[in-house]
Amino acid sequence: ENRNRKLFSWHFYTHKPPQSQRTISVILFPWVELVFIANIMALRTLEIVSLGLNLILMLALFRAHTNFNGCEEHLTRITLLSETNTQQATYIEQIKQQAAAVTKLKNTSDQLYAACKQQLTTALRKGDKDGKDDANSVCTLCEQELLATKKQLGEAKIAGLKAEEACKTKVHEAQKEAGQQNAVNQPSEGGVSQRSVAYLTAGYQLPTQDRGTWKDRSGHWAPIVDEEHKIVICTITKAACTMWRKFMRRLKGYADWDTSDERITHNYGGKSSGLKYLSDYSEAAANRIMNDPTYFRALVVRNPLTRVLSAWKDKFAPGSPHDWGDISWPDFARKRLVDQCQGDEHWMKQSCFCGIRRWKYDHIARMEGNEMAELAVAMATAGHIDMNFVKTGWGPDKTEHFLQSNHVFHKTDVSSKAATYYSAAAYPGILKTVIQRTEEDIRRFNYLEDVEAIVKTAEQL
């Protein structure tokens, strides 16, 4: 620029243009210089704008890359969910096929057993002693085969239910992880609608710490041990415990096994009943028994909502058989019921009994339905007990089979009766309180669907 200025000055003064031209040049020269400077500033501005656009483009590319990675991860989760559904469905189908095969075997065995009985009847009618003996032998074998197949059928059914529950739980967890939320009243939490889930704790984990409460009260809080037949059974208060103590006392040969003396049937130390409890053993011996594969360990439980209600009706309701005081149902539920291993055993959580958090039980029978009758057969089979022990000798006239006269454990009856006391209109807030304080039992013993039935009925009242 300086050089040009000098050249221009030299040219101007050397050639000495006319005065008019010199005047025009002097006037235009500053404006040319301003235009030149403006061009330079425009170029700098364009460079800055270009740099800004580049930064914006880089940021957009980075966000696009991040979103792509997120989409890819989400796609991976959905793929895993699909694979999980397929694997679990295949496994459940295998279990169902196994159960169908065992059912077919049971039907065949039933037909064979009926044929044996017919053969025995014919032999008796003819007076054929040899034919009678042969038929008796065949019938004994058939009966043993029938019991074995029934046991296999029960085990297959239980395995199928457990597999189906595990499948539903795993699918629900996968759906939750993939961000797929179920709509209201759609199946979740193992087939239970959001109606019941609303009362449950999100992300609930079953407690595993055992405080040793099974040693506190040997009559109610520890399982009964029968070393002769290698049977361990946990009888929980307000869960048909009286019937099962009678079962074990008759098995041990006590003549007064059917007594109504509560000092024996409702013992508070285990001594009056004559039975042996796990608390009678040392800690090491108790561990050996509860981990011995030759022992059959059984547990009887009850719907937590109906069990708590039964405890109130039996002890505190107007006209209750035992009359422990006058406490209303809402006061009982709010003040007596706690989510701890505390309080009276009639309404304390079932998970606090018998070291349930500590040891694994082979057979868990729910008091509702026919599961207790199935447990009696399974115990007789495992303990090598004559099946006539289960089939006869029970009831008022001692001619019935075990629990034949028991008509109080049908699910629909229990749900409809209990729902009256969990109605929001009559007892607001009680349903939520009881569910939350018995949640461990509801989840541990798979009572979600039973609770759902009570919730549905209670909402209609």
Side-chain angles (χ1 to χ4, degrees), residues 277-314:
Y277 291 81
L278 191 66
S279 55
D280 296 327
Y281 297 83
S282 66
E283 186 89 10
N287 276 321
R288 283 197 299 271
I289 290 174
M290 296 305 290
N291 291 288
D292 188 341
T294 63
Y295 270 85
F296 180 81
R297 289 166 288 272
L299 167 67
V300 181
V301 295
R302 184 176 184 177
N303 184 329
L305 270 61
T306 60
R307 177 175 176 267
V308 169
L309 179 60
S310 175
W312 173 75
K313 284 187 172 183
D314 190 50

Side-chain angles (χ1 to χ4, degrees), residues 117-354:
K117 286 292 185 183
Q118 182 64 35
Q119 184 180 353
L120 175 60
T121 302
T122 303
L124 288 173
R125 188 181 298 114
K126 292 181 179 179
D128 186 353
K129 184 179 183 302
D130 293 337
K132 173 186 174 183
D133 293 341
D134 291 343
N136 270 326
S137 299
V138 174
C139 284
T140 301
L141 293 174
C142 290
E143 188 171 21
Q144 292 175 352
E145 181 182 356
L146 176 62
L147 292 174
T149 51
K150 283 184 176 179
K151 181 181 178 182
Q152 293 176 18
L153 178 61
E155 291 174 349
K157 179 181 177 181
I158 292 172
L161 291 174
K162 288 182 177 179
E164 186 174 1
E165 184 67 24
C167 168
K168 291 177 180 178
T169 301
K170 191 169 183 179
V171 169
H172 174 67
E173 290 175 352
Q175 288 175 338
K176 186 176 180 181
E177 183 180 356
Q180 299 177 0
Q181 298 296 331
N182 292 323
V184 176
N185 293 335
Q186 291 301 315
S188 63
E189 290 283 349
V192 180
S193 76
Q194 293 288 352
R195 176 187 289 109
S196 293
V197 174
Y199 297 115
L200 300 173
T201 304
Y204 184 88
Q205 297 293 326
L206 287 175
T208 57
Q209 184 177 4
D210 176 49
R211 296 196 305 107
T213 51
W214 60 275
K215 296 183 291 187
D216 293 346
R217 301 285 290 275
S218 60
H220 283 282
W221 296 6
I224 299 170
V225 179
D226 182 350
E227 294 183 1
E228 178 185 356
H229 299 96
K230 289 190 174 297
I231 291 175
V232 175
I233 180 168
C234 175
T235 58
I236 295 176
T237 314
K238 301 304 297 179
C241 59
T242 300
M243 285 302 303
W244 286 104
R245 288 197 190 95
K246 290 183 177 182
F247 184 97
M248 297 304 293
R249 292 190 80 246
R250 183 187 171 195
L251 184 60
K252 297 298 290 183
Y254 288 103
D256 62 342
W257 62 269
D258 199 23
T259 179
S260 58
D261 186 351
E262 291 189 357
R263 291 173 299 177
I264 296 176
T265 59
H266 291 186
N267 60 81
Y268 293 89
K271 307 303 179 184
S272 300
S273 68
L275 299 172
K276 197 165 187 177
Y277 291 81
L278 191 66
S279 55
D280 296 327
Y281 297 83
S282 66
E283 186 89 10
N287 276 321
R288 283 197 299 271
I289 290 174
M290 296 305 290
N291 291 288
D292 188 341
T294 63
Y295 270 85
F296 180 81
R297 289 166 288 272
L299 167 67
V300 181
V301 295
R302 184 176 184 177
N303 184 329
L305 270 61
T306 60
R307 177 175 176 267
V308 169
L309 179 60
S310 175
W312 173 75
K313 284 187 172 183
D314 190 50
K315 308 301 180 187
F316 301 105
S320 62
H322 294 89
D323 192 15
W324 283 15
D326 186 12
I327 300 178
S328 68
W329 165 236
D331 285 345
F332 173 80
R334 292 192 180 100
K335 299 177 181 179
R336 296 296 183 99
L337 191 63
V338 295
D339 184 22
Q340 301 291 335
C341 292
Q342 298 174 356
D344 189 271
E345 59 263 25
H346 291 85
W347 54 84
M348 183 176 71
K349 289 196 303 184
Q350 299 171 87
S351 299
C352 300
F353 288 80
C354 302

